[in-house]
Amino acid sequence: DPMTMMHRFLSSLLALGAISVSTLPFAAPFSLPSNNVRHHASKPHHSARRRGMPITSLGSAAPPDADQSSGDNIPPAVESASARVDNCKRDLIQQCDDHELGSKYDSSIENKIREMEQLGEDAGFGQASSLSGLMSGEWELIYASDDITRSSPFFWAFRRAFPDASDQIFEITDMIPAPIKMVGPATQTIDIDSAARPVTGTLVSRVKVATLGGVATSIMTTRCDVLNADGLDGLRLKVESTKPEDSTILQKLGPLGEFLNSSVPPFPSGEALEKVVPGSSEVGMRTTYCDEGLRVTRNEDRLKDDVFVWKRVKFGSGNMVSL
């Protein structure tokens, strides 16, 4: 039964087996959803593109290279727009740092995100994320409007496979208090060839999950393929597999635990989701702002509800195209 298998996998994944007993009795009565997957929510307006405003070659707020233009030749309007974006970005990062990651929605942060998105669209900074090449690299989550685990595309796909049951299942696991369950940090490693047609690449999501006061921890790792670009700021992802890695329980077993940790194959979560609802393993990732240091990404199915701010840890090697 694919539904039962996914329920068991999700519950054990979120709490390393410690909460599966409490989750499954609630999950069992849920009926198998129909094959109707929610329609994509309407996409945000992109005012800069709608008005035909120019987009920079890298779609970022970074100043041009010295060999292209000296600081004296930067038009005052462009310099002023860049300063407004940088100031807004600085304020956003500070607000995210002051906000405890995992405490979910914060109205002031969400307002600052919208302000930065608008400034970026108006000035042409941080745009065309699918093609700029700046998506590639390693990113650390600094704000999530929902539980930290929802930053993983696996949970976006799970909602598509179980639209009627997912919220109830998530609520059960979300209500487990610390220190029984602790989540974070979360990172994403993205490698995109923006010059390819179609755009291709990979995304690896890693979320640390700990139970029993940190006695048992693991890294919930979901691997996705980038299928193509969806417009200038969207990517279509296909969830392939999910696996708890670097388990401290297995590490206590010495060489045997290391062998099990490295040799046990990942769970084919994408294939399992496809058996429940065909097409549910494919999700849309909409990145409304991305430059050399900061990225704002939304789940395309829940543009207003699933908002994530990522800070760059390091750059990747993804190719870029000139716009």
Side-chain angles (χ1 to χ4, degrees), residues 27-212:
F30 297 141
S31 59
L32 190 68
S34 67
N35 287 339
N36 294 326
V37 180
R38 289 178 179 173
H39 294 292
H40 293 333
S42 59
K43 300 177 183 178
H45 295 295
H46 295 277
S47 57
R49 288 191 285 275
R50 185 175 63 249
R51 294 195 298 267
M53 296 183 66
I55 297 176
T56 60
S57 60
L58 290 181
S60 73
D65 295 335
D67 60 347
Q68 294 177 347
S69 175
S70 66
D72 295 337
N73 295 328
I74 298 177
V78 174
E79 190 170 23
S80 177
S82 176
R84 288 196 298 271
V85 172
D86 285 343
N87 290 336
C88 184
K89 184 170 67 172
R90 189 180 303 111
D91 292 343
L92 174 59
I93 293 174
Q94 184 61 56
Q95 289 185 22
C96 291
D97 289 342
D98 294 339
H99 178 77
E100 182 181 357
L101 184 63
S103 51
K104 302 184 180 181
Y105 176 85
D106 182 278
S107 60
S108 62
I109 292 179
E110 299 271 342
N111 289 335
K112 185 61 66 174
I113 290 172
R114 286 190 288 271
E115 178 185 348
M116 189 182 69
E117 289 172 332
Q118 189 63 56
L119 287 172
E121 288 181 359
D122 290 345
F125 295 147
Q127 306 299 292
S129 58
S130 302
L131 304 177
S132 69
L134 292 173
M135 290 278 288
S136 293
E138 183 177 340
W139 301 84
E140 180 181 1
L141 184 69
I142 61 173
Y143 173 75
S145 59
D146 204 335
D147 189 81
I148 297 172
T149 58
R150 286 341 162 256
S151 65
S152 170
F154 166 77
F155 289 91
W156 306 359
F158 190 88
R159 281 189 187 275
R160 292 172 63 85
F162 301 97
D164 299 323
S166 57
D167 284 341
Q168 294 166 288
I169 296 175
F170 293 161
E171 286 176 4
I172 295 169
T173 59
D174 290 350
M175 286 190 300
I176 298 174
I180 298 176
K181 187 197 76 169
M182 294 179 291
V183 182
T187 63
Q188 286 185 351
T189 303
I190 303 175
D191 185 11
I192 296 177
D193 185 356
S194 299
R197 291 295 177 271
V199 171
T200 58
T202 59
L203 182 150
V204 181
S205 167
R206 295 181 174 91
V207 182
K208 184 177 180 180
V209 180
T211 60
L212 305 177

Side-chain angles (χ1 to χ4, degrees), residues 221-260:
T221 303
T222 294
R223 300 181 185 276
C224 307
D225 286 336
V226 177
L227 300 178
N228 52 59
D230 182 9
L232 293 178
D233 62 0
L235 293 174
R236 296 299 300 173
L237 307 177
K238 182 175 178 60
V239 174
E240 293 292 344
S241 65
T242 306
K243 177 185 178 182
E245 297 180 346
D246 299 330
S247 169
T248 55
I249 298 298
L250 291 179
Q251 290 173 4
K252 296 180 186 298
L253 300 178
L256 175 59
E258 293 179 5
F259 171 76
L260 293 174

Side-chain angles (χ1 to χ4, degrees), residues 234-313:
L235 293 174
R236 296 299 300 173
L237 307 177
K238 182 175 178 60
V239 174
E240 293 292 344
S241 65
T242 306
K243 177 185 178 182
E245 297 180 346
D246 299 330
S247 169
T248 55
I249 298 298
L250 291 179
Q251 290 173 4
K252 296 180 186 298
L253 300 178
L256 175 59
E258 293 179 5
F259 171 76
L260 293 174
N261 197 39
S262 61
S263 62
V264 173
F267 178 76
S269 50
E271 180 182 341
L273 291 167
E274 287 292 321
K275 291 181 179 178
V276 177
V277 176
S280 60
S281 67
E282 295 186 16
V283 296
M285 183 171 75
R286 189 69 50 183
T287 299
T288 52
Y289 185 92
C290 180
D291 66 12
E292 287 86 347
L294 201 70
R295 172 167 66 96
V296 176
T297 291
R298 300 169 182 265
N299 173 5
E300 190 174 60
D301 285 344
R302 291 162 51 88
L303 289 171
K304 294 182 179 180
D305 299 319
D306 286 355
V307 184
F308 308 97
V309 180
W310 301 85
K311 186 164 63 175
R312 188 185 299 278
V313 177

